[in-house]
Amino acid sequence: MHTPAEGLLAHIHSFESFGTVDGPGIRFVVFMQGCPMRCLYCHNPDTWDPAPQAEGGTKASGAGLWSASQMLEEVLKYRSFIRTGGVTCSGGEPLMQAKFVEAFFRLCKAEGLHTCLDTSGVYFNEQVKQTLEQCDLVMLDIKTLDDELHPRLTGHTRQRNQAFLDYLEQSGKTFWVRHVVVPGLNDDTAHLTALATHLKQYHHLECVEILPYHTMGEMKYERMGIPYPLKGVPAMTREQSQSIRDLFGGILKCKVQ
Ligand code: SF4
């Protein structure tokens, strides 16, 4: 018998009550604080800090400490709008607070809500496996298959991401793969073909979502006083995105955001 982990509080960055890009249908999306990765193209550096101190100024909607049942109460206000979708935990890296996600999703599922986890797969342990049991869908970010590029791109090696991917398949979990494509970094045809071919062996993979690199995060870096790592790298053009979709689409079910 599981209790709803009442005493457990999570650091939340913000939430969005009508999310349309983080999983199927219209969704309540919870953006969680904390991420150990440092992806060069990250457009949410404000989620990196696992436990930000309260500061003055405008706070994002929902920012602060929440229990799973408080968050569920908030979600249920929007129940009729998220009928076609459900609830997504994103971030940051939600598995940095995996126990909370497990408790929160357990409550959501008891209410008949579809649960989706958006993760980089950087954590992979027993707690994560338990949390995955409460996820109807996992969206796993794959940054690159290149062992040499991965640490340069993210600050971490690729092993855990691969172990995570294999575990999703072995455990029969329905999953999507998300892949950010950055001009000059991981957009060459050989790289993309290798990724599509690699992913073809995963039968529980429903869809690959290509996320073309954009520069909208740059202002956040400026505000936070952090040098922007991809200064001068142009956003993907519509034509580039289209040709990537054509390449993936020939091999797998794929959409471009
Ligand atoms: S995993 Fe996501 S939140 Fe973390 S640094 Fe990378 S892009 Fe940013």
Side-chain angles (χ1 to χ4, degrees):
M1 177 75 188
H2 291 273
T3 58
E6 243 332 299
L8 183 66
L9 297 177
H11 289 274
I12 302 299
H13 173 271
S14 57
F15 55 70
E16 195 183 342
S17 39
F18 298 93
T20 54
V21 294
D22 291 300
I26 296 174
R27 311 190 69 85
F28 189 100
V29 186
V30 182
F31 296 96
M32 301 186 64
Q33 280 297 149
C35 184
M37 306 269 267
R38 291 293 178 267
C39 302
L40 296 180
Y41 52 70
C42 181
H43 57 259
N44 291 323
D46 46 340
T47 64
W48 288 346
D49 186 346
Q53 299 301 309
E55 282 171 18
T58 320
K59 285 212 302 183
S61 149
L65 281 168
W66 290 74
S67 73
S69 53
Q70 283 170 332
M71 189 54 80
L72 177 74
E73 221 174 281
E74 189 64 28
V75 168
L76 291 178
K77 293 181 190 167
Y78 304 92
R79 181 172 212 143
S80 55
F81 300 105
I82 57 172
R83 264 196 327 263
T84 59
V87 179
T88 297
C89 277
S90 183
E93 172 48 67
L95 291 177
M96 202 175 221
Q97 305 181 82
K99 224 176 162 60
F100 171 86
V101 178
E102 182 193 354
F104 173 52
F105 276 0
R106 193 184 297 281
L107 294 179
C108 291
K109 284 173 76 66
E111 292 288 338
L113 296 166
H114 179 271
T115 58
C116 171
L117 174 71
D118 176 19
T119 179
S120 65
V122 68
Y123 293 111
F124 185 56
N125 53 38
E126 288 310 309
Q127 175 59 60
V128 166
K129 289 181 188 174
Q130 252 170 262
T131 303
L132 288 175
E133 282 177 30
Q134 301 305 320
C135 303
D136 294 314
L137 173 69
V138 175
M139 296 193 295
L140 176 66
D141 295 345
I142 296 186
K143 316 290 184 182
T144 174
L145 290 184
D146 184 328
D147 287 333
E148 187 270 324
L149 177 61
H150 201 281
R152 276 202 287 134
L153 202 56
T154 71
H156 287 255
T157 61
R158 200 178 76 78
Q159 277 84 345
R160 259 177 296 181
N161 184 269
Q162 180 62 48
F164 203 112
L165 173 63
D166 289 337
Y167 181 75
L168 291 176
E169 178 74 2
Q170 283 154 19
S171 56
K173 184 66 63 188
T174 303
F175 68 102
W176 294 5
V177 161
R178 299 180 119 185
H179 183 59
V180 179
V181 183
V182 188
L185 264 180
N186 59 0
D187 65 332
D188 58 287
T189 307
H191 173 98
L192 294 165
T193 310
L195 178 60
T197 311
H198 178 67
L199 292 176
K200 205 169 157 41
Q201 64 184 296
Y202 294 92
H203 302 294
H204 296 282
L205 170 63
E206 247 185 22
C207 165
V208 176
E209 204 168 32
I210 299 296
L211 311 177
Y213 168 72
H214 60 72
T215 54
M216 285 186 280
E218 194 167 346
M219 265 158 52
K220 277 192 194 169
Y221 284 74
E222 268 169 34
R223 272 203 303 271
M224 294 174 68
I226 312 172
Y228 187 61
L230 295 183
K231 204 154 193 66
V233 174
M236 296 280 292
T237 63
R238 192 179 284 268
E239 291 70 33
Q240 284 170 314
S241 303
Q242 180 61 43
S243 68
I244 291 169
R245 199 208 0 225
D246 292 347
L247 184 150
F248 266 85
I251 304 174
L252 293 158
K253 188 170 168 217
C254 165
K255 58 179 173 173
V256 176
Q257 240 188 39

